[in-house]
Amino acid sequence: MAAGGRAPEPRVLICLGALLARWVAAGSGAMVIGELHEDITLPCGNISRPRGPVTWYRIDSEPVFLVSSNASLPPREPRFSLLNTSALHIGMLSLQDEGNYTCQETLNETQWFRVRLQVASGPYEVVVNISATGTLPNGTLYAARGSHVDFTCSSSARPPPVVEWWFQGLNSREEYFGDNLTVSNFTLFLMSPNLQGNYTCLAKNTRSGRQRKVTTELLVYCSPSLLSDPMRTCFLGGNVTLTCQVSGAYPPAEILWLRNLTQPKVPIQSNSRYLITQDGQSSTLTILNCSQDLDEGYYVCRAENAMGVREVDIWLSVKEPLNIGGIVGTIVSLLLLGLAVISGLTLYYSPMFCWKVGNTFRGQDIGDVMVLVDSEEEEEGEEEEDAVEEEEEEEEEENVRAELPKEVHQHGHIHRVTALVNGNLEQMGNGLQDLQDDSSEPQSDLVQEEERPV
């Protein structure tokens, strides 16, 4: 040491450096870790006895004087000072302060104590990025069900930190996802509701033990799906209820009813004509006193949540009410008409059937009248139409033969026999015999007239 309060001569320091170098190579010392921009204290050995004069040096390529208990030797920088007359106190650590330090104590003999100082920093900031997500107004992230989500976490520190991921679902314990150096990233495929919860990224400084973490809440949302009848019918003046069922929506969807044709952007409100009720994710719209002009048309059920909007159209037709009494009366009339037609056809094609049926229902005391017509009359009826056509020609011929004697024709005489039939077939047979006898007499008269001379 130089006298007069001056710093040690360079020649002395060179010798001291050679001795310290051999001591450092052979011995071991304490390890102290300090935080960047913070203060640190380096102990001068683990000695509890009274201390002698102490001097601190920084050992790099050569020893550098820092501070001494000798008041005549001022410290190298104001940042360096002695604490409890032996420990080295360094204020506002910088990265350049990292290195090897030694203290010299002289008490009966000289002793050297080595200290290794490491400067750590951070982690100061943890950056988390969760992609393929949306953000709610309150900052909460959400992902669509079935989507892929990428997770990335990074931080800066000295030395580089270790990054870990932790997950805690709803009503479950925290789960460890793994770690990596400096940056940790992973991907979750096919997101489902059981993967929503808190995702925590933790960055840890392995030197200082300091750590920082960022927790991000991630929700898994599902788009709403709608189920409803596409067509409904309401009778004029009646009521009808339209139903819309929402499923698979998370968070729950808001359900609105709209008119597609008249006011597509104005939701329908409950009033004297419309009644809207909702039970959970099921909504109904009841239309009162249906009117064809006002109510017929498309109605829209709309469900909306953070994942999107879904709509379904429902067509409402308004019809006149059915007249049940008129329908029944028409059916009965048709049935009666059918029976009448069938009965008429039966009587037309089977007169004997009618006669037998009449005898069955009539009493034996009532007489029936039967009129028999000669075959000549039937033939005459068939020839009437042809006779009309020939009549004109015969008139001319008759005029020519006016002087000739006229023939008396007996043809066309109608013989009628009336018989009272009381169910006695024998009497009916006698009536037929009388008819034959009468018909033979005119024929004989006709023969006699033909034999008379002209």
Side-chain angles (χ1 to χ4, degrees):
M1 294 285 179
R6 292 182 301 172
E9 294 289 340
R11 185 177 52 187
V12 176
L13 294 177
I14 292 174
C15 296
L16 178 60
L19 294 175
L20 290 175
R22 290 195 297 269
W23 173 82
V24 169
S28 61
M31 175 69 70
V32 177
I33 298 174
E35 286 288 334
L36 186 65
H37 306 308
E38 295 185 4
D39 296 350
I40 188 68
T41 299
L42 306 182
C44 183
N46 187 14
I47 300 175
S48 59
R49 59 177 175 77
R51 308 300 302 263
V54 173
T55 304
W56 279 92
Y57 298 90
R58 168 80 180 270
I59 307 298
D60 291 321
S61 58
E62 60 181 21
V64 177
F65 171 79
L66 298 178
V67 66
S68 174
S69 59
N70 187 349
S72 61
L73 299 175
R76 183 180 180 85
E77 295 180 19
R79 295 187 305 118
F80 301 111
S81 62
L82 290 178
L83 184 62
N84 297 327
T85 68
S86 63
L88 174 62
H89 182 78
I90 305 175
M92 291 293 295
L93 278 177
S94 65
L95 295 178
Q96 291 74 20
D97 291 331
E98 186 174 86
N100 295 317
Y101 293 81
T102 184
C103 70
Q104 173 189 354
E105 181 188 24
T106 302
L107 183 63
N108 298 328
E109 61 179 354
T110 301
Q111 293 183 336
W112 303 87
F113 301 94
R114 177 178 175 268
V115 179
R116 173 67 180 175
L117 174 61
Q118 291 185 337
V119 178
S121 63
Y124 294 108
E125 184 180 9
V126 178
V127 179
V128 173
N129 183 28
I130 303 177
S131 61
T133 58
T135 304
L136 298 177
N138 62 358
T140 302
L141 300 181
Y142 64 89
R145 183 175 183 175
S147 64
H148 300 172
V149 179
D150 298 323
F151 296 78
T152 301
C153 179
S154 62
S155 180
S156 60
R158 176 187 172 92
V162 172
V163 179
E164 300 176 354
W165 275 103
W166 295 81
F167 168 72
Q168 185 174 15
L170 301 176
N171 302 321
S172 64
R173 62 182 182 83
E174 199 171 29
E175 180 181 356
Y176 179 64
F177 269 16
D179 57 50
N180 198 351
L181 184 65
T182 306
V183 177
S184 178
N185 53 61
F186 62 94
T187 301
L188 292 180
F189 298 93
L190 299 176
M191 294 295 293
S192 59
N194 62 341
L195 292 177
Q196 66 179 353
N198 293 325
Y199 290 83
T200 300
C201 175
L202 185 146
K204 181 187 297 184
N205 191 316
T206 58
R207 177 176 293 178
S208 64
R210 283 195 174 186
Q211 61 184 27
R212 287 183 180 272
K213 63 181 180 180
V214 172
T215 299
T216 304
E217 183 181 11
L218 177 64
L219 302 177
V220 178
Y221 280 177
C222 307
S223 299
S225 60
L226 297 178
L227 179 64
S228 180
D229 293 333
M231 299 181 64
R232 292 301 306 273
T233 301
C234 180
F235 291 113
L236 191 65
N239 302 334
V240 66
T241 299
L242 311 181
T243 302
C244 183
Q245 179 67 46
V246 180
S247 62
Y250 185 83
E254 180 184 8
I255 305 175
L256 299 175
W257 288 95
L258 306 97
R259 282 298 303 272
N260 192 26
L261 300 180
T262 57
Q263 296 177 326
K265 295 184 179 181
V266 179
I268 298 175
Q269 304 294 334
S270 294
N271 51 37
S272 59
R273 299 188 63 250
Y274 300 109
L275 177 62
I276 298 176
T277 60
Q278 183 166 340
D279 182 10
Q281 290 288 274
S282 178
S283 179
T284 60
L285 169 63
T286 300
I287 303 171
L288 307 175
N289 192 18
C290 291
S291 170
Q292 193 169 28
D293 296 334
L294 298 177
D295 299 321
E296 187 172 67
Y298 279 106
Y299 290 80
V300 178
C301 175
R302 173 184 293 175
E304 181 177 1
N305 68 356
M307 293 305 300
V309 178
R310 294 291 185 274
E311 292 182 349
V312 62
D313 292 341
I314 304 172
W315 171 259
L316 176 65
S317 60
V318 180
K319 297 182 179 180
E320 292 283 348
L322 298 176
N323 187 354
I324 304 300
I327 294 176
V328 173
T330 302
I331 294 175
V332 172
S333 299
L334 292 175
L335 290 176
L336 293 176
L337 179 60
L339 291 175
V341 171
I342 294 173
S343 301
L345 293 174
T346 303
L347 295 176
Y348 179 78
Y349 289 103
S350 182
M352 202 64 181
F353 171 78
C354 179
W355 178 77
K356 291 181 179 180
V357 171
N359 284 338
T360 302
F361 290 98
R362 286 194 293 264
Q364 295 296 327
D365 296 335
I366 301 175
D368 292 342
V369 177
M370 180 172 64
V371 179
L372 300 180
V373 182
D374 280 349
S375 61
E376 294 179 356
E377 181 181 309
E378 293 179 355
E379 293 176 356
E380 181 180 0
E382 295 175 355
E383 295 176 354
E384 279 183 359
E385 294 180 358
D386 296 335
V388 172
E389 297 177 356
E390 298 175 357
E391 222 174 309
E392 295 179 357
E393 297 177 359
E394 291 178 357
E395 287 180 359
E396 295 178 359
E397 293 178 359
E398 288 178 357
N399 293 332
V400 175
R401 292 180 293 183
E403 296 179 354
L404 295 177
K406 298 180 181 178
E407 296 180 356
V408 179
H409 297 278
Q410 296 298 325
H411 300 287
H413 286 215
I414 300 175
H415 301 276
R416 301 178 181 274
V417 177
T418 302
L420 297 178
V421 181
N422 294 320
N424 193 329
L425 296 178
E426 183 177 357
Q427 293 181 3
M428 181 177 180
N430 295 334
L432 293 175
Q433 183 65 37
D434 295 339
L435 176 62
Q436 293 176 357
D437 295 340
D438 293 341
S439 62
S440 62
E441 294 179 359
Q443 292 178 358
S444 62
D445 295 339
L446 178 61
V447 173
Q448 293 178 359
E449 289 181 1
E450 291 177 352
E451 292 178 354
R452 293 178 184 178
V454 178

